[in-house]
Amino acid sequence: MRLVVDLNRCQGYAQCVFLAPDVFSLNGEEALRYTPYADDARREQVAAAVAACPVQAILLDDRTDDVVDDMMDDPLPAAFDVHH
């Protein structure tokens, strides 16, 4: 699963660090560090961290790599063709 944290929204409450310390950590007193990809063994911890974020700064993407790869293979619709 893929994680994205909106670092502009994050206020450093560190609830995620307490709930999923293998994925999230603090660098100094307020700078959040995180692993953008977490394995399924940490799914419950990560889900708890996402739910506990008071400012909802953590997004969890559960799509499999196959789904993401399929999306990348699709051509852009003609309306988005940038050739002049």
Side-chain angles (χ1 to χ4, degrees), residues 17-52:
V17 176
F18 296 118
L19 294 167
D22 292 338
V23 178
F24 302 95
S25 64
L26 286 180
N27 184 20
E29 291 184 29
E30 294 182 6
L32 182 69
R33 297 178 70 176
Y34 69 102
T35 304
Y37 293 94
D39 59 29
D40 283 338
R42 291 176 173 69
R43 180 171 298 279
E44 285 185 38
Q45 290 177 332
V46 170
V50 170

Side-chain angles (χ1 to χ4, degrees), residues 51 55 60:
V55 295
L60 175 63

